Amino acid sequence: ALDKAMIKHGSKQSESTDQSIDSIIKQLNQEQLNQEHIYELEKIIEKNKNPDKNIPTEEEFLDYSKTLEVYKPELDFSIRAKYETWKDDGWKDGNGKKIKNWKTKLKNTITFLKPVFVDQKTANKTELQRAER
């Protein structure tokens, strides 16, 4: 039963881990949970426990960047873009390496970012769109 549930739910990558685990538990509850199933579920839960714990919010990322000596307001757009890129790439850098300490990575990366001067009308519209998400 666990194998069927894992196969069924393993292919749905868009579902969150919690939803997948809940679905597996529901399916297994319809059958009878035995000690082996419980052990397998505990392993899955432990393995997937808070996978994003090292990923800051965009606000936290930007706030930290403002504490760095080399920070300039003109870098805000580039800093946000870097955050989105790393997050979209599974919190990996441009070389595909997992980012373990994002503060150190940002501190080393910010010196290479280019300032972007954004038209204020466009910037305000973008901020409104971002807030609506």
Side-chain angles (χ1 to χ4, degrees):
L2 180 61
D3 292 339
K4 287 180 187 176
M6 291 300 293
I7 290 168
K8 180 179 178 183
H9 294 287
S11 64
K12 296 181 180 181
Q13 297 203 6
S14 63
E15 284 187 346
S16 74
T17 302
D18 291 335
Q19 290 171 327
S20 296
I21 292 170
D22 288 344
S23 298
I24 293 169
I25 291 170
K26 285 177 186 175
Q27 184 172 347
L28 291 174
N29 280 339
Q30 292 170 0
E31 302 167 17
Q32 287 186 328
L33 282 177
N34 63 32
Q35 213 46 39
E36 182 181 329
H37 293 139
I38 292 170
Y39 176 72
E40 290 298 318
L41 286 171
E42 286 172 346
K43 282 190 347 188
I44 293 167
I45 290 168
E46 190 59 37
K47 180 180 175 186
N48 293 305
K49 210 177 220 179
N50 199 3
D52 293 344
K53 67 182 176 186
N54 294 324
I55 301 176
T57 63
E58 184 178 4
E59 182 180 354
E60 184 180 3
F61 192 80
L62 190 58
D63 286 346
Y64 175 73
S65 72
K66 291 176 182 179
T67 68
L68 300 174
E69 193 174 313
V70 296
Y71 170 81
K72 294 179 243 172
E74 306 84 65
L75 294 173
D76 283 356
F77 182 85
S78 295
I79 292 167
R80 282 191 170 105
K82 185 56 68 180
Y83 174 83
E84 291 299 325
T85 300
W86 288 349
K87 190 163 184 189
D88 291 346
D89 290 343
W91 210 241
K92 293 180 183 174
D93 66 13
N95 296 318
K97 288 182 65 179
K98 186 95 173 130
I99 297 171
K100 295 177 183 175
N101 185 330
W102 65 268
K103 289 182 178 180
T104 300
K105 181 63 88 173
L106 178 59
K107 188 175 183 178
N108 293 330
T109 301
I110 197 169
T111 58
F112 298 101
L113 298 179
K114 304 288 184 213
V116 175
F117 298 94
V118 180
D119 175 37
Q120 280 304 324
K121 291 178 186 176
T122 306
N124 291 339
K125 193 177 201 179
T126 304
E127 287 300 319
L128 287 173
Q129 290 170 344
R130 189 185 313 267
E132 290 174 357
R133 289 186 209 163

